[in-house]
Amino acid sequence: MKNTGGSIKQLLLDKGLVSPEALQLLEVRLELKRENENLPGGDIEDFFNLLVEQGKIRRQDILQTLAQEFQMETITLNDLQASPGALKRVGRDLAERYGVVPLTCDGHCLQLAIGDPFDLDSLDNLSHLLGLAIETKLAWPGEIRQAIERFYAVGADEPSERQAVFTGDNLKIMQAPSLPANISGKDPNLGESEAPINRYVQWLIAKALDLKASDIHLEPLETCFRVRLRIDGSLQEIENPPKRLQSVIISRLKIMADISIAEKRLPQDGRILVSSGSRHIDLRVSTLPTAHGESVVIRILDKANLRLDLSRLGFRPEDLEKVKKFLSLPDGMILVTGPTGSGKTTSLYSFLHSINQPDRKIITVEDPVEYQLSGINQVQVKKDVGLNFASALRSLLRQAPNIIMIGEIRDLETAEIAVHASLTGHLVFSTLHTNDAAAAVSRLVDIGIKPFLVSASLRAILAQRLLRLLCRNCRRPFENTVDGLGVEKAGQIPFTLGPGCSQCFGRGFLGRIGIFEILEIGEEIRQLIYQEAPLAAIRSACRKSGLRALWEEGMRKAAEGYTTVEEVLALTVGAGKDEHSSVFRV
């Protein structure tokens, strides 16, 4: 039940049914009751029950006051039986989520018993979802809960709307379910669990999981409703559903993600939990209003695919030793840079996993917390209540951590706290969006950090990209010598893109591997930063110190048969090349 208790409490105060002093005392007792019984906060039923128990007001007075205010009839549910048709239209999950009991349904109007008349959003959501007008009667909140248990006793084990369940440990791609031509955007059967729309959404999620997609994109265009999957970093279009079903498919996803289907003017975020055998997958749903409807992106977070082993990220042996040396430092700041989707969070999680020891306290601040890491304190940013990166970091430092991970440095305040923490005995990890390692220095200065603080706090910067791996089953031998790779002993590119096979689903690529540009902040680089040297001078010094650029590392991977030259060029063009970099020709 939604927390609209503040409105009800104010109404009781305005009607003179309870004094401010008594209300304050009741709230204290209610909080103690929740703590002792491990109850969730915000349930108005607890407040009503405590009011009656303490003798502050009679039960019928509360109901009569609310009924008069909203011009509603009251109803007693203890001996009432709901109609089968109404129970069929409103499943148990919807009834529990919105705190309602379906009473009757004539095909056009649904009669509900509700316990919180202030919660108008829930009624709007149900009306939009079911395509029915809604008539309400007021009941005691405790009776609502008891009636749901009684009415839905037979179907108590049915899966939740938010818990999409797929049978079998291995998901297999099935044919897309047919969407009959007579289904429209206001199909009255969309509330039933076996409706074609529900089956289509479940099939779409299952297909994305089977193809190991990282996200699903549902995009409303002018003449079509495009659906694409991001697989190994590349978007691939699949069969599009009819444009007329755009709104109902999006509504189904919003209901599963527990976000408002009535709100179409503002972006929204939600979650869907998916189970398949022993696998538990978290789907992060984001909606964005566009010119032709709401765009939806579903990010797939599958912990089974998370590999927190430094040796499997793609580091060369000598680079891996450098990284391990950085991770053993007692303080300072280590940054990971790259564009969105380049694997920065996975690298940070791998760093934390490798140094997570019982004698170290590690705290992270993330937006969002993508994966739960055992033994690590993870803080979720909540902007709606004022908990942003900066405010979380200020409180975090009072928790006496040894190691801090900040999801991203986005503003001056966050950057200042991170620098301050790194200079006062903490090892700080974070990310920035820059093309190469050296550009992270100028980015911090642009944000507003003084150059002498940047030079004093930075210990290392890693820039990275994720290259698609050639499918080992269908890749083709490639005998032509590639000239101008700009790397020593490049030799020949042994393989090139194959025609595709069943293992790679016809793509020719299967999986990804990281390439890294590792900048250790030595004394020379530190002096250049302190002296506010231009970025070109810092890059030149980095090259002289032996830094291998991203494109060079990528070409080495191509020369070793991991990927193609075209893949390297597509991901590393513009990544920090200067006059000291070789111009490669293919």
Side-chain angles (χ1 to χ4, degrees):
M1 193 175 296
K2 297 194 180 291
N3 184 9
T4 52
S7 302
I8 292 177
K9 293 170 188 175
Q10 187 61 49
L11 176 61
L12 296 178
L13 282 173
D14 293 342
K15 297 294 183 181
L17 296 175
V18 63
S19 67
E21 295 77 13
L23 184 59
Q24 186 175 9
L25 181 59
L26 281 170
E27 289 178 338
V28 172
R29 290 175 177 170
L30 181 60
E31 189 62 34
L32 290 174
K33 182 175 183 289
R34 289 186 184 126
E35 291 178 359
N36 292 333
E37 300 180 13
N38 295 319
L39 295 172
D43 194 345
I44 202 63
E45 180 185 350
D46 292 334
F47 175 70
F48 281 178
N49 288 337
L50 195 57
L51 270 176
V52 175
E53 289 170 9
Q54 298 295 321
K56 304 299 180 183
I57 188 173
R58 296 183 304 168
R59 173 172 168 169
Q60 54 266 37
D61 291 337
I62 297 176
L63 286 177
Q64 287 176 4
T65 299
L66 292 174
Q68 290 174 3
E69 182 72 17
F70 289 90
Q71 298 181 352
M72 296 173 61
E73 293 182 24
T74 60
I75 188 172
T76 299
L77 299 176
N78 291 336
D79 300 319
L80 189 70
Q81 291 297 324
S83 71
L87 292 175
K88 187 177 180 181
R89 297 307 301 271
V90 181
R92 176 170 185 151
D93 184 77
L94 291 178
E96 289 180 336
R97 184 185 311 162
Y98 294 117
V100 300
V101 171
L103 301 175
T104 62
C105 182
D106 62 6
H108 302 285
C109 181
L110 175 68
Q111 189 179 81
L112 299 174
I114 65 173
D116 185 356
F118 283 93
D119 189 10
L120 300 179
D121 285 343
S122 293
L123 300 179
D124 285 342
N125 281 354
L126 281 172
S127 180
H128 279 82
L129 173 64
L130 302 175
L132 297 170
I134 288 181
E135 180 183 313
T136 58
K137 293 189 176 183
L138 186 64
W140 187 254
E143 291 184 10
I144 294 280
R145 178 175 46 79
Q146 293 168 5
I148 291 174
E149 290 293 333
R150 188 170 74 253
F151 292 162
Y152 296 98
V154 176
D157 295 329
E158 293 179 357
S160 163
E161 294 273 358
R162 293 190 62 206
Q163 185 82 13
V165 179
F166 303 97
T167 58
D169 290 330
N170 296 315
L171 294 169
K172 298 298 180 184
I173 300 177
M174 63 196 97
Q175 183 179 358
S178 59
L179 297 172
N182 62 348
I183 295 181
S184 67
K186 295 184 179 180
D187 190 333
N189 294 320
L190 290 179
E192 300 179 6
S193 61
E194 292 300 317
I197 295 298
N198 299 357
R199 294 198 301 270
Y200 173 79
V201 170
Q202 191 176 60
W203 167 83
L204 178 61
I205 295 172
K207 179 166 186 173
L209 292 175
D210 202 20
L211 290 174
K212 294 181 172 59
S214 60
D215 40 62
I216 306 169
H217 294 250
L218 298 100
E219 303 163 313
L221 305 180
E222 184 175 3
T223 59
C224 69
F225 183 40
R226 184 169 65 179
V227 178
R228 297 190 289 177
L229 306 179
R230 189 181 296 279
I231 304 171
D232 292 335
S234 178
L235 281 171
Q236 299 187 30
E237 189 167 349
I238 63 173
E239 181 181 352
N240 296 326
K243 174 71 173 177
R244 71 180 188 279
L245 301 182
Q246 170 182 309
S247 61
V248 291
I249 291 173
I250 291 175
S251 292
R252 165 52 54 190
L253 287 167
K254 291 170 74 174
I255 286 294
M256 293 174 69
D258 199 23
I259 57 181
S260 173
I261 63 173
E263 179 56 75
K264 299 181 180 180
R265 301 165 300 172
L266 297 173
Q268 297 186 85
D269 296 292
R271 295 175 63 191
I272 303 172
L273 304 178
V274 173
S275 296
S276 173
S278 59
R279 293 172 64 190
H280 298 285
I281 301 104
D282 191 2
L283 307 181
R284 302 294 174 89
V285 181
S286 171
T287 69
L288 181 70
T290 69
H292 302 291
E294 288 181 286
S295 173
V296 178
V297 174
I298 305 172
R299 187 171 187 186
I300 302 172
L301 302 178
D302 186 357
K303 197 168 185 178
N305 293 330
L306 184 64
R307 299 290 183 264
L308 300 181
D309 186 348
L310 287 177
S311 62
R312 301 182 65 176
L313 293 181
F315 289 112
R316 295 187 177 277
E318 62 272 22
D319 291 337
L320 184 57
E321 290 305 313
K322 285 184 181 180
V323 171
K324 289 181 177 178
K325 183 180 75 171
F326 301 150
L327 299 182
S328 66
L329 295 173
D331 55 29
M333 187 159 58
I334 298 174
L335 298 178
V336 180
T337 76
T340 300
S342 59
K344 299 187 296 297
T345 300
T346 299
S347 292
L348 288 180
Y349 280 171
S350 299
F351 296 165
L352 296 182
H353 179 74
S354 68
I355 59 178
N356 185 16
Q357 302 294 332
D359 61 341
R360 296 174 176 174
K361 181 165 185 176
I362 304 176
I363 305 181
T364 73
V365 183
E366 306 172 61
D367 184 21
V369 173
E370 296 192 3
Y371 297 98
Q372 297 287 340
L373 302 179
S374 177
I376 293 178
N377 300 279
Q378 296 174 268
V379 178
Q380 167 73 58
V381 168
K382 298 178 181 177
K383 298 177 183 177
D384 54 339
V385 296
L387 184 64
N388 54 26
F389 279 107
S391 60
L393 281 171
R394 282 193 294 269
S395 299
L396 179 153
L397 292 175
R398 292 193 287 272
Q399 296 284 312
N402 302 105
I403 299 163
I404 299 169
M405 192 269 272
I406 306 167
E408 182 183 351
I409 293 178
R410 300 177 178 176
D411 52 47
L412 175 59
E413 189 175 10
T414 303
E416 286 179 335
I417 298 173
V419 168
H420 172 75
S422 69
L423 294 174
T424 54
H426 303 86
L427 184 60
V428 179
F429 298 95
S430 191
T431 69
L432 281 176
H433 285 85
T434 62
N435 282 334
D436 67 327
V441 173
S442 59
R443 174 63 179 150
L444 287 175
V445 175
D446 290 342
I447 287 176
I449 302 298
K450 300 296 183 184
F452 73 90
L453 291 175
V454 176
S455 67
S457 60
L458 273 181
R459 297 292 182 267
I461 306 171
L462 285 76
Q464 69 178 68
R465 299 289 191 276
L466 290 177
L467 298 176
R468 290 183 295 173
L469 290 170
L470 288 171
C471 175
R472 291 185 174 273
N473 186 57
C474 66
R475 62 184 182 179
R476 291 177 172 177
F478 185 64
E479 301 297 339
N480 292 334
T481 300
V482 177
D483 182 32
L485 286 179
V487 294
E488 296 178 3
K489 300 179 181 179
Q492 295 181 334
I493 302 297
F495 297 102
T496 189
L497 186 66
C501 63
S502 59
Q503 291 189 19
C504 63
F505 302 100
R507 302 191 306 268
F509 291 101
L510 185 61
R512 290 192 289 178
I513 192 171
I515 55 172
F516 302 88
E517 179 180 288
I518 302 177
L519 171 57
E520 183 175 4
I521 307 298
E523 188 57 36
E524 181 182 0
I525 304 297
R526 200 177 305 282
Q527 285 297 321
L528 288 173
I529 298 173
Y530 181 83
Q531 296 167 6
E532 303 183 41
L535 181 57
I538 295 176
R539 281 183 175 147
S540 177
C542 293
R543 299 286 294 174
K544 290 177 182 178
S545 68
L547 177 140
R548 286 196 304 272
L550 279 169
W551 67 269
E552 287 181 295
E553 189 61 27
M555 288 300 181
R556 287 175 183 268
K557 296 293 186 188
E560 293 166 356
Y562 288 105
T563 189
T564 66
V565 173
E566 291 78 11
E567 177 74 2
V568 175
L569 297 181
L571 290 181
T572 63
V573 168
K577 290 185 284 295
D578 55 30
E579 67 274 14
H580 297 279
S581 301
S582 301
V583 177
F584 45 81
R585 302 176 301 278
V586 188

